[in-house]
Amino acid sequence: MDRKIRLRNAGTFLLFGGPSVIAFLAVVVIPFIVGLYLTFTNWDVRTGDNSFIGLSNYVAVWQDTVFWTQLWFTLKYVFFTVIIANAVAFFIALALTGGGRGEQWLRTGFFTPNLIGGIILGYLWQTLFSQVLPYLGEKYGWSWFETSWLTNTDTAFWALVITTSWQLIGYLMIIYIAGFAGVPNDVLEAASIDGASRMATIRRIMLPLTIPAIVICVFISISRSFLTYDINLALTKGGPFNSTELATYHIVQKVFLSNQYGVGQAEAVVLFAVVAIIALTQSYLLKRLEVES
Amino acid sequence: MTNRVFLPSLKKILLYVLLFVFLTPFLLIIMNSFKSTQQFVENPLSLPTSIQMANYVSAFDNMNFLDGFLNSLMITVGSVVLILFFPR
């Protein structure tokens, strides 16, 4: 009897969960394991080599100093992107949860950049940085904008940060709005009866109660900005002098341009480890701040 | 009392200004899509003097827009159908 029920439960699970499990295995788990295995071989599509060579790919990664500088560059880029995008999205969402007129339009407007792919966004901002801003700089004598931001490593860095934040803000804003909508009204009412100021309400009530939304947003922005490739490709193409290559860009170059499949794959694994460690640490640390309302 | 009426509208104005800044890149691109290359280089911020569709025509020709659009359409319809019938 017991066994029959269990069998039927397994059947029900397979019926409903089976397709998703198979899809997940086929496109995430198996490719990941195969990819991990390939880092220990001298795999090459052209020659068909596929023999076990141990850790020498990882030794090559260790010696690839360019990769480590790009990884450091990527870390800085992620740091600023995550902070700017989340801070701006948080305050826009806060301003857009009052229930005033025109709110829907404003939300839609801020979400628009997210509807366009990264490649087109990159080209759009490339025109802006290399044509429109220098024009303004020359006309009004703003020394900041006189040369294109994309010709200098430092300013190209900020160009990347601004473009990525611009794309992310709308998306994060939606999650924050959902988070604010989950804050119970009675708590806010109690706060206003107790005479809490707007700032105090935000700091003491809104912020602690939206920690789950913050965790999700920080997680999404960390992983999305670590894996930025399209914007990097369209905006700077890694230039000037390969100084603004992000880690993913470097890996793609390594694999498909220098044809070092094994080394590139090993670098991807290293990048995965870095992203996983950072993303999991932040969600662990932030989750400890969660409170019950 | 005046303060209470004034404050939300100030917030609104700030939000709309921010939205305008946010959408400026789109406005610029749409504006410039009606201008010739020479007009664009001369002044990227000027309004188009006459509406030219030449850019759109050449884009349509050069990128095989219809083929690309049909491909995107098929991918979209296919994935939406799959997502609807196999939700997570």
Side-chain angles (χ1 to χ4, degrees), chain A residues 66-121:
Chain A
V66 181
F67 174 68
W68 296 103
T69 27
Q70 313 293 29
L71 195 60
W72 178 238
F73 184 80
T74 312
L75 278 172
K76 283 190 290 184
Y77 155 82
V78 170
F79 180 77
F80 286 110
T81 309
V82 168
I83 287 182
I84 291 173
N86 278 287
V88 177
F90 186 86
F91 283 108
I92 291 178
L94 204 59
L96 287 180
T97 30
R101 275 177 60 207
E103 216 167 58
Q104 295 297 331
W105 287 102
L106 283 161
R107 286 182 188 176
T108 314
F110 284 115
F111 190 71
T112 318
N114 220 274
L115 299 174
I116 310 171
I119 288 275
I120 296 171
L121 269 184

Side-chain angles (χ1 to χ4, degrees), chain A residues 2-28:
Chain A
D2 195 34
R3 198 160 153 261
K4 213 173 165 188
I5 291 174
R6 220 180 287 162
L7 257 176
R8 193 192 292 162
N9 280 347
T12 322
F13 172 77
L14 276 183
L15 182 64
F16 288 99
S20 312
V21 171
I22 291 170
F24 185 70
L25 281 177
V27 300
V28 179

Side-chain angles (χ1 to χ4, degrees), chain A residues 116-126 163 167 229-235:
Chain A
I116 310 171
I119 288 275
I120 296 171
L121 269 184
Y123 281 124
L124 207 159
W125 278 85
Q126 195 203 42
T163 311
Q167 187 191 18
Y229 173 74
D230 39 9
I231 288 177
N232 195 197
L233 177 75
L235 192 64

Side-chain angles (χ1 to χ4, degrees), chain A:
Chain A
M1 188 66 187
D2 195 34
R3 198 160 153 261
K4 213 173 165 188
I5 291 174
R6 220 180 287 162
L7 257 176
R8 193 192 292 162
N9 280 347
T12 322
F13 172 77
L14 276 183
L15 182 64
F16 288 99
S20 312
V21 171
I22 291 170
F24 185 70
L25 281 177
V27 300
V28 179
V29 178
I30 294 173
F32 184 80
I33 293 169
V34 173
L36 208 58
Y37 167 73
L38 285 177
T39 60
F40 300 108
T41 66
N42 60 351
W43 178 58
D44 193 321
V45 171
R46 294 162 307 163
T47 55
D49 279 348
N50 193 3
S51 49
F52 197 76
I53 52 165
L55 284 171
S56 58
N57 277 332
Y58 288 93
V59 175
V61 172
W62 182 249
Q63 287 161 345
D64 185 1
T65 49
V66 181
F67 174 68
W68 296 103
T69 27
Q70 313 293 29
L71 195 60
W72 178 238
F73 184 80
T74 312
L75 278 172
K76 283 190 290 184
Y77 155 82
V78 170
F79 180 77
F80 286 110
T81 309
V82 168
I83 287 182
I84 291 173
N86 278 287
V88 177
F90 186 86
F91 283 108
I92 291 178
L94 204 59
L96 287 180
T97 30
R101 275 177 60 207
E103 216 167 58
Q104 295 297 331
W105 287 102
L106 283 161
R107 286 182 188 176
T108 314
F110 284 115
F111 190 71
T112 318
N114 220 274
L115 299 174
I116 310 171
I119 288 275
I120 296 171
L121 269 184
Y123 281 124
L124 207 159
W125 278 85
Q126 195 203 42
T127 333
L128 210 69
F129 279 122
S130 61
Q131 302 279 341
V132 179
L133 288 182
Y135 171 81
L136 278 176
E138 243 168 64
K139 197 170 176 191
Y140 298 106
W142 298 336
S143 53
W144 261 38
F145 293 135
E146 263 171 21
T147 52
S148 164
W149 273 30
L150 303 176
T151 54
N152 177 302
T153 308
D154 292 330
T155 47
F157 171 80
W158 288 108
L160 276 171
V161 171
I162 290 170
T163 311
T164 318
S165 309
W166 192 65
Q167 187 191 18
L168 276 175
I169 282 169
Y171 192 62
L172 301 179
M173 177 199 73
I174 297 289
I175 302 177
Y176 278 127
I177 287 175
F180 291 142
V183 175
N185 248 334
D186 43 341
V187 184
L188 294 175
E189 227 166 77
S192 80
I193 288 169
D194 287 345
S197 68
R198 178 94 173 121
M199 268 322 282
T201 317
I202 292 172
R203 261 199 53 205
R204 306 256 177 225
I205 294 174
M206 297 290 249
L207 206 57
L209 283 178
T210 44
I211 290 286
I214 296 176
V215 173
I216 297 172
C217 281
V218 175
F219 191 89
I220 287 176
S221 49
I222 285 179
S223 62
R224 290 246 318 236
S225 41
F226 257 117
L227 303 182
T228 306
Y229 173 74
D230 39 9
I231 288 177
N232 195 197
L233 177 75
L235 192 64
T236 66
K237 274 208 178 61
F241 309 114
N242 300 340
S243 58
T244 60
E245 279 183 356
L246 296 174
T248 30
Y249 193 86
H250 180 80
I251 291 168
V252 173
Q253 299 283 76
K254 193 117 221 161
V255 173
F256 294 107
L257 233 67
S258 350
N259 286 319
Q260 289 172 286
Y261 296 95
V263 181
Q265 182 67 25
E267 281 172 357
V269 170
V270 172
L271 179 68
F272 165 78
V274 171
V275 179
I277 290 169
I278 291 176
L280 292 179
T281 318
Q282 73 81 19
S283 69
Y284 173 74
L285 289 177
L286 276 176
K287 267 202 180 129
R288 295 211 320 207
L289 299 174
E290 256 178 56
V291 290
E292 292 280 319
S293 69

